[in-house]
Every structure is written in structure tokens, then in C-alpha cells.
Amino acid sequence: MAEEETIQDEQEQIKQRREKLSTLREEGIAFPTDFRRDVVAGELHAEYGEKAAEDLEATPVRVKVAGRMMTRRVMGKASFCHIQDMSGKIQLYVTRDVLPEGYYNQQFKKWDIGDILGAEGILFKTKTGELSVKVDNIRLLTKALRPLPEKFHGLADQETKYRQRYLDLIMNDVTRETFLVRTRIISFIREFLTHSGFLEVETPMMQAIPGGATARPFETHHNALDMGLYLRIAPELYLKRLVVGGFENVFEINRNFRNEGLSTRHNPEFTMLEFYQAYADYHDLMNLTEDMLRQLAKQVLGKTKITYQGEEYDFDKPFTRMSVKESILHYNPELKPEDIDNIDSACKVAEGLKIPLKDSYGLGKIQIEIFEKTVEHRLMDPTFITAYPVEVSPLARRNDDDPFVTDRFEFFVGGREIANGFSELNDAEDQAERFRKQVEEKDAGDMEAMHFDADYITALEHGMPPTAGEGIGIDRLVMLFTDAPSIRDVLLFPHMRPKA
RNA sequence: GGGCCGUUAGCUCAGUCGGUAGAGCACCGGACUUUUAAUCCGAUGGUCGGGCGUUCGAAUCGCCCACGGCCCA
């Protein structure tokens, strides 16, 4: 059966390449490991790209390069090819007469596009001025058995780009650049927070009680302990335990898991930055966020006007700040404050907007439904929305002047939520009461409602200093900065259904 | 979950009214010592996503399924 599949799988080109490999095996070591390069393509272009042909001739530079052969143009006794390494491409000029007798025809010409080569030679410029290596020693380091996608159109099929990301990375510069930017963003944030006095930590990915967010968790099982465990939906409660423990400023950049549907904005596992700062409040975090994102744009993209899907967002001008209620009234000018101030009129507004309501919804939840329906997608330039109702903020500190809302904000760009932060609820008794409310909702059938985490309450009872905390969705931030329409474009290996 | 679109050679794509499947690139053979989508000559390559049905005959029409994309909930 397996044999049958193999035969089916064997395309003509793969067969030919297997035969070439078989010959290589007979001739010696088919997969050598002893070649060492001394430079990568990007360094060569940076250092010698601007040099005149005469200068390169006057002081010969000898280099060893390696990479995947991406193109080849054979013209009788001479050939050009490009090899690609992590930093870019460099052209090789290979001629028959400087190689050992028979090597050019019997070896080099039998290699295929996609094979991985090591080459040694002198830098020079071609007639058209392209920096190239005049090769006098070249070896096949790895035989590729499968052909690459077509050189001109590259790899366009979305599904293959996601399922075989390595092909996408080989063929598409834009894809490579996207993931380089992703890494630069994460590096910048790590350095920014570290330099601001935050300590990077790691907290459990497997939790007995999944806390810190309202979402359905993945469940797993620990065999030796014979107990159920959950993949975390957020690190929040553990990070705040660390604040109780005296690690006053901490951050973690790591994966969260949520057992929900997939979309252009949702992947079951996604990367989150969470950070906590003691002796600070949510205003301090809004300021920090604004500062960090502005610097991030400058440093990573070299500009503060970001183009996303044809729209431009300015990170240079001060970010807008308004409350949930203000934003609802601002984007629904026909509404008066009293229309959303009590549950009966708010229900009418929601019904007018065709928002399905549940009996369990209080005024706060209804306001948020109205906000999500009429405001969220219109928050284009960077905007902080503040004063979220207590009802939808079970871990946030109650506002001193208006106990209906919390000292909380969310941050939006391009109509999408990027961050969520608040002054932390460090009143253990209030927190216990909020957990009880959540458990009631869970018992009433809300699969996303929180568990009661007694251990966390105990931690709070030991005293957590006044603290503000925030989470930033790294994937959505990367989407924004790389102009990616789907979260799958910024995840190296996005979740896919099994193919067959 | 619903709607729309897509799935044809290794890759990128055509395929008319239902009548035995096409191109470019890649690959194979040949020519060629500054090419860069190299060029020129010649040849090979197909489970048309899967299944069922309609039909003398299906890549094409119908139904079901799978996977993907976009939009909506």
C-alpha cells in the first residue's frame, strides 16, 4: 500500500532527480557537511555592491558562499546562476575551463534548480554591473528531489503558501520580509520593556484553572497526576501573582490558546504580550503604549504613517482618547446620553440595531454590544477607548467616581482591537465577588465565563501593590505593520484543517 | 453555521455549445564563454480535488463531500 502511494507520488522530474542522487551516492558522500562559507550575499552587496569593476579587479576579493540555486542560464561552456541564502541572492559565473576536467559537464550541468550549492571564487562585476562571483570551485551540498515552483510567477496558491511555508519563504520576498518584520517588532518590544525596567518571565502554559480572560480553553490531561489541565487562555493571573511576590514590573511574550473558530483575525494559538507595572495606573500605561508604538513604527518601519489595506494611519499625532459612552454618542449622533444610561432605553437602541440580546445581559454588556456594532470598526486612527463597564471587566479596578465602570482602556487602530489594559483589581474581596458573578454566568451556560480561582484570591489577600497591566495582540500588531490582510499571513505555520 | 468564488501538468494559468486535454515556465535531448523571465531547435509529461448521477458521450450539466479564499453571523 505504502509502495503504491510512493509510486503514485513519483512525478517524472522527481524520478530523474532520484536517479541523479543515486549516482551521487555511488560517487561518494552525497550529503557532505564539510563546506564552510565565509560570507552571506547581503554582506557582499552591502560591502562591494557600489565598488567599481576596476577596483574589484585591482584588489581581488576571494569569497566562499552557499545557498539554494534559484536560477540558471547555461550558455555552452559558461553559465550564470543565482544562489539564495538567508540574506539575499548572489550571482555565480561558472566556466568550464577553470573547473576540473569533465566537472562542468558531468557534474555542474546535471544539478537542478533548487539544489543547495557551495561555491568559491573572486568577486567581479558583469557587463551589466551586477556583483557576482567568478567561481573556480563549486560543489553540490544537498540534492533537492522536488522541483521548485515556477521562477517568474512564483508560488501564488494561498493554501500551499500556508501548508508548505518553506516553499513560500524560498519563493516570495514579501513573505520573507513579513516574518523578518515580525521578529524585529518582537525584538524591539522586548528591548523597550527591558530598558524600561521590566523583567521578562515565563508562566505556565498548562493551567489547572484557565484564567485571565473570558474564552473557551483547550483541555488536556496529565497522565501521571491523572488530572485535567487547560492550555492557557492568558497568563494574567500568574503575572499578577509575581507582582504580589515583588517582581513589580514584569512582562511575558508568549502563546495563548483559545478554543474558538478560525478567521482572518483568529488563530487557535496566538502571541500575546502582557506586562504589569506596580505603582502605576491605566493612564500611565496609555502613555507607555503610545510612546512604545510610536517608537516601534519609527524604528521598524522608519516612518510613523502606516498604510494598512489602502488606508493611512498616523502614529505621530497624539492618540485619541474617549470613553465607551462618549464614543457611542459620537458615532451615533442621533442618540442622547439618557438613551444608553438605563437598561430599558439601551435595550430599545440595541433592538433597533438588530443586536440579539440575552436575558443575562446587564446595561454594561448591552452598551458594549452597541459599541462593538456601531463604533469599533470606525476607530481608524490610533484611539484609546476608556471606562469599560464593570460587567465586562471582571479583573479591572472599579472607577472611584463612577462605580459602574472600570479604570480600563482598549486600544484600536484601523477598526481593530490591538490592546487591552487597566488598573488592576487589587481588592481581594471585590475580586472574589467578581469571580462569584462569573461562576453564576458559567452555571447559567456561558462557556466563556471565568472559573473561581481561590488560589489567586489568596495571593491578592497577601496584598498586591497598586498595579496596571496590559495585553497587546502581537499578531494583529504585525498584521498592521506588514499590511497583511489575514492573521495567517503573519503566522509561520497557521492552523489548517488536515488536507485529506 | 450561512452565502459567493475557486480546485485542470511540478508551478502559473487557458479550455467556446457537452464531442478523445492546451500554453508559458520547469524538466529531458541538442547548440551556445557576460546571462539575468537568456536565446534557438526537438521531445516528454494529465486520477481535470473525490464520489454519485444525467447522457451515446462530462474538465464542462446536476447532487453530495473535502480543502482553500472572501463576505456575513
Side-chain angles (χ1 to χ4, degrees):
Chain A
M1 197 62 173
E3 205 172 316
E4 208 169 286
E5 277 169 29
T6 316
I7 289 161
Q8 285 247 327
D9 196 36
E10 285 302 62
Q11 301 304 327
E12 191 56 34
Q13 292 189 47
I14 299 177
K15 246 186 248 171
Q16 288 160 355
R17 288 176 178 222
R18 275 194 204 283
E19 277 158 26
K20 290 177 182 176
L21 174 58
S22 155
T23 305
L24 287 170
R25 288 188 204 278
E26 285 162 19
E27 289 168 354
I29 298 167
F31 293 89
T33 58
D34 59 321
F35 183 86
R36 296 292 175 271
R37 64 178 167 190
D38 54 22
V39 70
V40 294
E43 292 169 349
L44 290 177
H45 289 297
E47 203 173 337
Y48 303 103
E50 301 302 316
K51 283 248 162 103
E54 302 78 50
D55 295 345
L56 287 171
E57 224 169 302
T59 50
V61 181
R62 191 164 183 83
V63 298
K64 290 183 180 178
V65 292
R68 191 183 296 275
M69 180 159 67
M70 299 301 292
T71 62
R72 184 169 59 171
R73 296 170 290 281
V74 179
M75 299 155 302
K77 301 179 190 67
S79 298
F80 286 94
C81 55
H82 279 100
I83 59 168
Q84 175 172 281
D85 64 29
M86 194 175 178
S87 67
K89 292 189 183 83
I90 183 79
Q91 183 169 253
L92 306 181
Y93 179 57
V94 183
T95 50
R96 187 191 69 179
D97 294 340
V98 302
L99 296 177
E101 179 76 30
Y103 196 83
Y104 182 83
N105 284 313
Q106 303 312 312
Q107 300 288 330
F108 173 76
K109 280 170 78 172
K110 293 203 160 68
W111 300 342
D112 295 297
I113 289 170
D115 287 353
I116 293 170
L117 312 180
E120 194 174 348
I122 306 292
L123 283 182
F124 78 109
K125 288 242 170 137
T126 63
K127 271 184 187 168
T128 54
E130 180 172 348
L131 184 68
S132 308
V133 179
K134 191 171 287 178
V135 169
D136 50 47
N137 185 18
I138 187 164
R139 296 170 62 192
L140 175 61
L141 302 181
T142 305
K143 182 75 203 161
L145 294 176
R146 290 174 183 268
L148 287 177
E150 191 243 334
K151 64 188 170 193
F152 186 55
H153 299 91
L155 178 64
D157 184 68
Q158 277 299 354
E159 193 172 346
T160 310
K161 281 162 65 81
Y162 295 149
R163 286 190 196 274
Q164 294 177 273
R165 183 68 89 186
Y166 47 91
L167 288 178
D168 191 23
L169 288 169
I170 291 168
M171 298 307 297
N172 295 318
D173 293 345
V174 173
T175 303
R176 264 200 310 281
E177 183 59 20
T178 294
F179 288 104
L180 291 176
V181 168
R182 182 183 174 109
T183 296
R184 276 185 230 131
I185 287 173
I186 293 172
S187 298
F188 173 88
I189 290 172
R190 186 165 267 136
E191 270 174 52
F192 180 93
L193 289 174
T194 302
H195 285 150
S196 306
F198 287 82
L199 184 69
E200 183 170 9
V201 296
E202 294 167 274
T203 63
M205 311 282 274
M206 291 194 291
Q207 305 179 348
I209 298 174
T214 48
R216 289 191 68 175
F218 285 94
E219 296 171 37
T220 184
H221 187 262
H222 191 292
N223 291 336
L225 299 179
D226 189 24
M227 65 180 287
L229 281 173
Y230 300 93
L231 299 189
R232 76 175 185 195
I233 54 175
E236 173 155 353
L237 302 186
Y238 284 93
L239 289 169
K240 287 195 283 199
R241 283 172 170 94
L242 293 178
V243 177
V244 170
F247 279 177
E248 294 159 344
N249 300 331
V250 291
F251 76 97
E252 177 166 7
I253 300 174
N254 221 324
R255 224 67 63 78
N256 290 345
F257 306 86
R258 297 188 183 175
N259 204 342
E260 292 161 358
L262 289 81
S263 79
T264 50
R265 279 173 239 187
H266 298 87
N267 195 67
E269 54 181 305
F270 60 99
T271 300
M272 188 83 148
L273 160 69
E274 282 205 14
F275 56 101
Y276 292 81
Q277 182 175 13
Y279 311 108
D281 69 8
Y282 72 117
H283 291 290
D284 297 311
L285 289 195
M286 283 194 279
N287 294 338
L288 182 151
T289 303
E290 188 164 343
D291 185 31
M292 180 168 78
L293 292 182
R294 193 170 290 137
Q295 284 192 43
L296 175 66
K298 277 184 199 154
Q299 190 117 340
V300 171
L301 301 179
K303 58 186 182 185
T304 51
K305 287 192 170 63
I306 291 175
T307 304
Y308 183 73
Q309 304 293 293
E311 299 290 327
E312 192 178 83
Y313 307 117
D314 189 352
F315 276 64
D316 204 30
K317 67 181 186 196
F319 295 4
T320 306
R321 301 184 187 196
M322 63 174 121
S323 71
V324 170
K325 261 194 245 177
E326 285 166 355
S327 72
I328 292 174
L329 296 173
H330 182 264
Y331 286 98
N332 298 278
E334 72 287 359
L335 293 181
K336 296 186 189 65
E338 52 269 30
D339 293 329
I340 52 169
D341 260 354
N342 67 78
I343 192 152
D344 293 332
S345 55
C347 275
K348 285 205 187 80
V349 172
E351 279 160 15
L353 291 165
K354 301 202 173 84
I355 296 170
L357 296 177
K358 290 182 190 155
D359 291 343
S360 59
Y361 287 7
L363 175 59
K365 177 69 176 160
I366 294 167
Q367 285 177 350
I368 288 303
E369 293 285 329
I370 295 170
F371 170 82
E372 286 176 358
K373 177 98 179 192
T374 63
V375 178
E376 187 167 332
H377 64 277
R378 291 153 82 176
L379 300 172
M380 304 314 276
D381 271 326
T383 303
F384 291 108
I385 298 294
T386 61
Y388 279 71
V390 172
E391 187 183 350
V392 296
S393 314
L395 302 169
R397 182 182 188 277
R398 215 177 278 272
N399 182 268
D400 291 329
D401 300 321
D402 180 0
F404 181 76
V405 299
T406 55
D407 290 338
R408 174 182 171 191
F409 66 86
E410 286 196 2
F411 176 67
F412 298 87
V413 184
R416 291 156 186 234
E417 180 200 338
I418 303 288
N420 174 27
F422 40 85
S423 298
E424 298 299 334
L425 177 57
N426 62 344
D427 176 340
E429 294 175 352
D430 191 351
Q431 183 66 75
E433 186 52 39
R434 306 267 194 103
F435 275 155
R436 277 191 281 274
K437 258 266 163 52
Q438 288 288 314
V439 172
E440 275 174 30
E441 285 173 31
K442 190 169 229 30
D443 292 344
D446 184 351
M447 305 290 286
E448 295 184 353
M450 290 178 179
H451 295 67
F452 191 101
D453 191 336
D455 183 73
Y456 176 66
I457 296 295
T458 302
L460 284 188
E461 285 170 353
H462 282 283
M464 180 169 77
T467 299
E470 179 173 344
I472 297 182
I474 296 294
D475 309 296
R476 291 186 188 179
L477 191 65
V478 175
M479 286 170 67
L480 186 68
F481 275 55
T482 58
D483 198 15
S486 169
I487 195 170
R488 291 182 158 186
D489 298 323
V490 302
L491 299 171
L492 281 168
F493 298 101
H495 185 78
M496 302 286 281
R497 283 189 167 90
K499 182 143 179 123

